[in-house]
Amino acid sequence: MDSALIPKGVKRCSIGQFILGIGLVGVVLLWGVFAMLLCWLKGLNQTNMNNAYGFAMWIWADLAVIALGGGAFFTGFLRYIIGKDELKNIINYAVLIGFICYSSALLILAIDVGQPLRGWFIFWHANVHSMLTEVAFCITCYFGVLCIEYVPLVLENRQIDKVPFFHNLSHNMHEIMAIFAATGTFLSFFHQGSLGGVPGVLFGRPFGFREGVFIWPWTFFLFIWSAAAAGPCFTILVTKITEAVTRKKLVKDNVIELLAKISGWMLLTYSIAKIADTWQWATATAPSKGFNLMDFYSNNPLYGIWVLILEIGICGVLPAIILVSNKGRKTAGALWAAVILASLGVCLNRWVMVLQVLAVPVLPFTNWNMYAPSWQEVATTILPVAYGVILIMFSYRYLPIFPQEQELNPVEPPAPQEQQAVSKPETPSDAQEAELKPAEA
Amino acid sequence: MQFGSGGYLPPAHSTFGGCGLPHCQIAEKQKTYDNGSKKLPDPSIRLNGVNWPAKIEDDGARSPIENRQFKGVLMEKGKAKKNKKFGMVIDLDKCTGCGSCMVACMAENNVSFREDETDKLLSVTWMRVYKLTNGKPFPDSEICYLPRPCMHCEADHGHSPCVSVCPATATDYDMNTGIVSQIYTRCFGCRYCMAACPYQVRVFNWYDPVWPDGMEKMLSPNVSVRMRGVVEKCSFCFHRYQLAKDKAYYEGRQDLEEDEYQTACTQACPASAITFGNLNDPDHAITQIVRPDHQLGGRSKNPRAFRLLERLGANPKVYYLSNREWVRHSGDNYRPDEVKL
Amino acid sequence: MLPFSFEWIWDMSHLVFHGGLWYALSIIGMGITFCILKAAYDTYKGKGSHHP
């Protein structure tokens, strides 16, 4: 039914199966939309946030998806600026994942503010000294860049590509993509860093506060670093999940291994920097405010020292060691474990830097603030996941996301009358000729 | 525009609750002058497109840009004068924990409430009274009540924990009065300021403000009612300062007497535990009690005095007094090796 | 955000922040405008019209 929209030379499931899948995820999406409408119409009393917990699950989700979406800017940086050409085979998917992550972050932010209709004040009445202002500007601009990077993919759909203007537009956008990628990298450095600055500048919150350089606390740099390290891991993870679901190999091992290797070194250096930062904070910064390290990890039902060990050791150093070793990267199970741990680690780091910052009592006569999200918060956080799955399903089905898919999964010889149109070309010039034949006919 | 026995009452549309835009404030001032008053401002000074009254030396009702412009006027006329720095000192040995300050604050500032106020973390409370204990068993147990308004932190050059983080400039440190303002109509409810404030003085309007039937008629016309989805906090009853300034101006005076501007909680305290005034005026009682060392961020020279969380460096302008060491010790965090009790 | 909004101050903070912002926006804006105009020109010249 929709075969005219499916890229040539690849096989997709039946339309019925596809609609069923969309329907199942759509139910989850609708649940999230319902919760979102409740929050908008009835206000933030639908959440379990309170005056002690002004930032909670949504801000964590924002920080986490932006870190996980960091694969887009860092892969783009490696591909277009550093010149790692092999990564062209995964950059499309990295861009798509980044697009989903950043659009999700913007959606969650729109739900999270008390007066969503005044959201534009952050731009119009901008306080340039606020880290959140920098975050808002850079995320919005970078989302624009991601749209620009995603649009050519959409334009490459078989039917859209037939329109000469769209074909030319897609071609031209590809031509100058390095400029957009460089701009995206510039913006990403700042908003990833500013997100780190959000807790880092809170000198009233000794758990989050860090010293730094000039106006930037150390968390500014650590957030950039961790996003650049864990973002590509998440790209690999989603690629692997997609391969498992579609039961196809979509990206060649050398591409995955290259990205994993770079990611591993980033993660290893990040872990060393994070350990140094934690040491400085635990032995100098926090004591100067009257706190010992264990004050932050005791006398409460949840946050023990295990959080720190899990975040830095198990989800930082361990996956880094796996990814930097050749054997680790080539062993499927180890690679899976490493990318899962790295993704979890960055999410845990963001959780700690948002929720534990507020949980720790600062006034000596107050207690720990504990928090559990309401179902509306959970549903609105799952909403972007469902939206992301749907967008991936559509993009995978109708757009040439994986350039190596055709080569890795040759389609069985078609019926004789179709053979000429769908036969796999040998060289790029042959491919162009093959593409041109129907038009000539 | 209202005139009562107390003189000119400005409308609720003020810096606190008004849009905060200079044109609004200037328009309000000009309306006042146009109202038949003989004390018309001297229009001879014109700077940055604004007519500034030449005789006014200090007026807190200005936005940041106006502050800078106004300073320029003062410098030009050679009349630069030390800014005011309003603060508060609370004698905890006098406080009985009666809660009058909380009630007075709520009534004065149109603070909303709900039928079910059992969850205090959802309550809107500008002034909150904490109960402290020394943790010792009977007969050595002692308690202390600690009223906590907004600390109006000064940190470095007004770099209060909350002011610098607000992304929409909805909160500001007024260099002329030392008061941290909140512009409700510009706040869009991101709550970053709440996360930044270590004193938990900032509260969010989780619900629509609803008053029982008829009670809305008792609301003060001088203070804007806040809407759902914005942050609010203690303003040191800034509208009272505006009223007092307007009255003084109407009567041809430049400066306020100490008792002309007092907060509602100060006046309501039956034990006279709260003293409010200008920390930069040596004649004010607060300055004589606190004896602030401005070289050290306002740290008190009075051995009975302390500030909450002094080590964080926020330099709050609310001081506490107590003869009891454990009470003074309760104001900050100390590592075990620092404890001398 | 713009020099005529009253929060705007001609100081280093504003110049650095908004300088960076407008620099990035300009590149994005000019880049996308260039792509659209060139695509329109190319289409006018018949480029890509033979494409299936």
Side-chain angles (χ1 to χ4, degrees):
Chain A
M1 195 171 113
D2 61 344
S3 53
L5 292 166
I6 294 173
K8 282 180 183 172
V10 297
K11 196 169 183 303
R12 295 288 179 262
C13 65
S14 71
I15 185 74
Q17 215 176 346
F18 179 69
I19 290 172
L20 183 68
I22 293 284
L24 287 174
V25 187
V27 172
V28 181
L29 183 90
L30 287 176
W31 179 53
V33 170
F34 175 63
M36 180 180 77
L37 291 175
L38 275 180
C39 293
W40 274 339
L41 297 175
K42 293 193 170 186
L44 297 184
N45 51 55
Q46 299 295 300
T47 70
N48 277 354
M49 288 190 282
N50 56 44
N51 292 329
Y53 247 115
F55 279 0
M57 191 178 196
W58 284 332
I59 295 291
W60 163 74
D62 267 329
L63 266 65
V65 294
I66 287 171
L68 295 173
F73 95 85
F74 195 62
T75 314
F77 172 73
L78 294 170
R79 159 81 177 88
Y80 295 108
I81 314 298
I82 303 293
K84 295 284 179 190
D85 202 45
E86 301 96 307
L87 297 180
K88 70 183 177 194
N89 296 309
I90 201 168
I91 186 73
N92 289 350
Y93 209 37
V95 164
L96 175 59
I97 294 165
F99 179 84
I100 291 166
C101 287
Y102 278 78
S103 52
S104 301
L106 289 172
L107 176 69
I108 295 172
L109 276 176
I111 307 169
D112 188 41
V113 296
Q115 290 278 340
L117 295 178
R118 296 182 191 168
W120 58 280
F121 285 11
I122 201 169
F123 304 108
W124 193 248
H125 299 299
N127 170 15
V128 296
H129 303 289
S130 172
M131 286 290 170
L132 218 50
T133 306
E134 200 169 316
V135 169
F137 272 103
C138 289
I139 285 183
T140 311
C141 292
Y142 184 57
F143 179 65
V145 172
L146 282 170
C147 289
I148 290 170
E149 290 180 347
Y150 182 54
V151 161
L153 277 176
V154 177
L155 298 180
E156 281 177 21
N157 172 271
R158 254 171 76 191
Q159 299 305 318
I160 299 174
D161 193 53
K162 284 179 182 170
V163 180
F165 174 77
F166 290 142
H167 175 81
N168 290 329
L169 181 60
S170 170
H171 175 77
N172 291 335
M173 288 174 83
H174 273 303
E175 288 288 303
I176 62 162
M177 198 52 80
I179 294 172
F180 293 127
T183 312
T185 305
F186 169 79
L187 291 167
S188 286
F189 270 118
F190 279 97
H191 73 243
Q192 298 283 2
S194 303
L195 282 170
V198 166
V201 299
L202 301 182
F203 64 95
R205 299 279 183 177
F207 185 80
F209 177 69
R210 296 291 190 281
E211 281 113 1
V213 179
F214 193 38
I215 58 166
W216 297 295
W218 294 124
T219 47
F220 184 95
F221 306 101
L222 288 172
F223 268 49
I224 299 171
W225 212 330
S226 57
C233 283
F234 186 67
T235 307
I236 295 172
L237 177 62
V238 179
T239 307
K240 288 285 172 191
I241 292 172
T242 311
E243 287 183 342
V245 172
T246 57
R247 279 170 262 152
K248 279 182 193 170
K249 186 138 194 71
L250 299 169
V251 181
K252 284 183 181 174
D253 285 339
N254 68 317
V255 179
I256 296 285
E257 281 167 24
L258 174 65
L259 197 56
K261 184 180 176 183
I262 295 169
S263 194
W265 281 106
M266 289 297 292
L267 199 56
L268 188 66
T269 48
Y270 163 74
S271 298
I272 293 166
K274 175 71 182 169
I275 290 168
D277 169 71
T278 306
W279 183 266
Q280 166 72 14
W281 162 74
T283 58
T285 312
S288 72
K289 312 290 180 191
F291 290 88
N292 274 333
L293 175 67
M294 286 312 292
D295 291 336
F296 301 125
Y297 296 102
S298 53
N299 298 323
N300 77 91
L302 178 64
Y303 299 106
I305 196 71
W306 64 268
V307 176
L308 201 58
I309 296 166
L310 180 66
E311 184 203 331
I312 302 177
I314 299 170
C315 295
V317 176
L318 182 62
I321 290 169
I322 294 172
L323 293 176
V324 295
S325 77
N326 194 33
K327 197 179 170 189
R329 290 194 300 272
K330 288 189 185 305
T331 311
L335 182 65
W336 268 94
V339 293
I340 289 172
L341 285 176
S343 303
L344 276 179
V346 81
C347 292
L348 181 60
N349 172 262
R350 283 4 181 207
W351 179 279
V352 163
M353 293 307 281
V354 173
L355 282 101
Q356 198 174 346
V357 167
L358 300 184
V360 173
V362 183
L363 281 172
F365 41 85
T366 54
N367 295 319
W368 280 75
N369 302 303
M370 301 315 289
Y371 153 88
S374 69
W375 75 263
Q376 290 93 331
E377 287 173 276
V378 174
T380 42
T381 307
I382 292 174
L383 161 67
V385 179
Y387 143 77
V389 172
I390 289 174
L391 196 56
I392 285 176
M393 287 171 79
F394 271 102
S395 300
Y396 172 71
R397 189 172 180 83
Y398 298 121
L399 307 177
I401 296 288
F402 297 103
Q404 293 175 321
E405 183 187 358
Q406 211 175 331
E407 183 188 343
L408 290 167
N409 306 275
V411 178
E412 287 173 17
Q417 63 269 26
E418 294 175 13
Q419 193 168 7
Q420 193 181 13
V422 298
S423 61
K424 190 166 78 67
E426 295 298 319
T427 62
S429 58
D430 288 342
Q432 202 172 8
E433 281 176 25
E435 294 284 317
L436 292 175
K437 272 171 188 168
E440 287 168 2
Chain B
M1 202 67 47
Q2 301 168 51
F3 281 86
S5 57
Y8 165 65
L9 289 173
H13 186 83
S14 59
T15 302
F16 281 90
C19 72
L21 296 171
H23 65 78
C24 292
Q25 294 166 1
I26 292 160
E28 292 302 341
K29 281 175 197 161
Q30 287 174 346
K31 272 199 280 180
T32 312
Y33 310 141
D34 295 344
N35 202 45
S37 165
K38 291 177 182 174
K39 309 287 186 227
L40 288 171
D42 178 0
S44 59
I45 301 168
R46 187 169 174 83
L47 190 73
N48 297 323
V50 177
N51 285 327
W52 292 102
K55 290 179 181 175
I56 295 180
E57 290 180 351
D58 189 11
D59 182 345
R62 285 186 294 275
S63 70
I65 191 82
E66 277 186 306
N67 280 334
R68 280 186 288 276
Q69 291 170 337
F70 192 71
K71 272 180 203 163
V73 175
L74 293 179
M75 296 300 283
E76 198 173 89
K77 285 184 70 72
K79 282 189 174 182
K81 189 185 171 185
K82 203 172 185 182
N83 291 327
K84 292 183 174 65
K85 195 183 281 187
F86 288 107
M88 185 178 278
V89 60
I90 304 173
D91 193 331
L92 299 181
D93 295 343
K94 287 183 183 172
C95 178
T96 62
C98 69
S100 298
C101 52
M102 295 172 69
V103 175
C105 175
M106 288 189 80
E108 176 76 19
N109 292 294
N110 297 336
V111 175
S112 65
F113 54 91
R114 290 187 303 133
E115 208 171 303
D116 179 4
E117 285 280 352
T118 47
D119 188 348
K120 299 300 177 200
L121 287 174
L122 295 176
S123 295
V124 179
T125 314
W126 288 14
M127 171 67 102
R128 183 172 172 184
V129 178
Y130 287 89
K131 183 182 176 183
L132 280 57
T133 67
N134 63 349
K136 292 183 179 172
F138 180 81
D140 299 322
S141 62
E142 286 183 33
I143 59 166
C144 170
Y145 293 99
L146 186 141
R148 188 237 48 206
C150 173
M151 300 287 138
H152 295 275
C153 307
E154 193 183 12
D156 299 327
H157 311 293
H159 180 67
S160 314
C162 54
V163 169
S164 52
V165 302
C166 175
T169 332
T171 185
D172 183 46
Y173 185 88
D174 186 346
M175 300 303 282
N176 290 321
T177 60
I179 291 176
V180 175
S181 66
Q182 178 73 15
I183 305 169
Y184 312 120
T185 46
R186 192 179 305 153
C187 172
F188 66 95
C190 74
R191 305 181 300 286
Y192 193 15
C193 56
M194 291 170 67
C197 176
Y199 304 100
Q200 293 182 17
V201 304
R202 290 180 163 270
V203 292
F204 188 71
N205 283 273
W206 302 99
Y207 296 88
D208 283 307
V210 179
W211 279 268
D213 279 346
M215 196 173 168
E216 67 274 8
K217 290 175 186 163
M218 305 299 287
L219 295 176
S220 166
N222 300 322
V223 182
S224 300
V225 172
R226 284 74 62 187
M227 62 294 287
R228 185 183 84 195
V230 301
V231 172
E232 62 180 75
K233 67 162 198 79
C234 156
S235 66
F236 269 173
C237 294
F238 186 79
H239 60 286
R240 288 187 170 209
Y241 178 70
Q242 289 177 307
L243 286 171
K245 285 295 291 184
D246 284 335
K247 185 167 181 286
Y249 190 82
Y250 185 71
E251 292 170 357
R253 289 182 288 120
Q254 304 299 321
D255 282 322
L256 298 177
E257 295 299 321
E258 186 178 1
D259 61 354
E260 280 189 295
Y261 169 41
Q262 291 292 313
T263 62
C265 55
T266 306
Q267 292 183 329
C269 180
S272 298
I274 305 176
T275 307
F276 180 82
N278 178 9
L279 287 160
N280 275 349
D281 190 333
D283 295 332
H284 280 206
I286 185 173
T287 314
Q288 291 164 5
I289 296 169
V290 170
R291 286 181 276 143
D293 185 343
H294 295 297
Q295 301 299 316
L296 291 173
R299 182 168 293 190
S300 174
K301 292 175 188 163
N302 182 343
R304 286 186 69 221
F306 67 98
R307 294 184 290 184
L308 290 180
L309 303 174
E310 187 124 34
R311 305 179 78 164
L312 296 182
N315 295 341
K317 288 200 290 294
V318 175
Y319 297 79
Y320 294 92
L321 298 175
S322 181
N323 284 327
R324 293 172 286 178
E325 194 179 351
W326 75 265
V327 173
R328 295 198 298 274
H329 185 267
S330 300
D332 216 329
N333 295 291
Y334 298 94
R335 302 189 310 277
D337 56 297
E338 294 176 313
V339 177
K340 292 170 190 163
L341 283 177
Chain C
M1 186 176 175
L2 297 170
F4 49 79
S5 64
F6 86 93
E7 290 93 350
W8 185 280
I9 305 160
W10 290 103
D11 66 358
M12 194 50 75
S13 309
H14 278 71
L15 291 179
V16 170
F17 183 92
H18 289 286
L21 169 76
W22 289 109
Y23 173 71
L25 279 178
S26 305
I27 290 176
I28 297 169
M30 286 191 297
I32 198 72
T33 307
F34 167 78
C35 288
I36 292 170
L37 291 179
K38 187 163 186 296
Y41 178 76
D42 289 344
T43 309
Y44 174 72
K45 288 286 180 188
K47 198 174 170 184
S49 56
H50 60 282
H51 206 73

